[in-house]
């Protein structure tokens, strides 16, 4: 589970998953992985300024800037 600004999302996978909140999809290696991500994509979007992100013990979260915004 990853919680971003109070919005929890679940990721049912043991590999990297890119979550694109603007396009509301999840993918890995050009493969749609939206079915393994549960939660409100709009609520996952980062806000200007400070954001609070917490993860479960087995989750690593990386935020990557892309031309369309950020990939979480």
């Amino acid at each position: 589970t990853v919680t971003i600004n109070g919005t929890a999302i679940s990721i049912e996978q043991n590999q990297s998953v890119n979550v694109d909140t603007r396009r509301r999809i999840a993918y890995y290696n050009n493969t749609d992985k939206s079915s393994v991500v549960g939660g409100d994509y709009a609520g996952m979007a980062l806000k200007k300024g400070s954001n609070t992100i917490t993860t479960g013990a087995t989750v690593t979260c990386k935020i990557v800037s892309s031309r369309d915004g950020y990939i979480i």
Side-chain angles (χ1 to χ4, degrees):
T1 299
V2 176
T3 303
I4 302 171
N5 297 323
T7 299
I9 61 169
S10 61
I11 301 172
E12 301 173 17
Q13 191 155 346
N14 289 328
Q15 65 178 342
S16 295
V17 176
N18 298 310
V19 178
D20 185 328
T21 58
R22 189 183 67 76
R23 296 186 306 168
R24 297 182 181 188
I25 60 169
Y27 60 93
Y28 181 73
N29 285 342
N30 296 321
T31 302
D32 183 9
K33 296 290 184 177
S34 297
S35 64
V36 301
V37 176
D40 176 21
Y41 281 94
M44 292 182 233
L46 298 177
K47 301 173 185 176
K48 287 186 178 185
S50 297
N51 291 271
T52 303
I53 300 170
T54 57
T55 64
T58 61
V59 175
T60 301
C61 184
K62 183 189 311 183
I63 300 170
V64 179
S65 178
S66 73
R67 66 176 183 218
D68 296 327
Y70 294 95
I71 298 171
I72 301 169

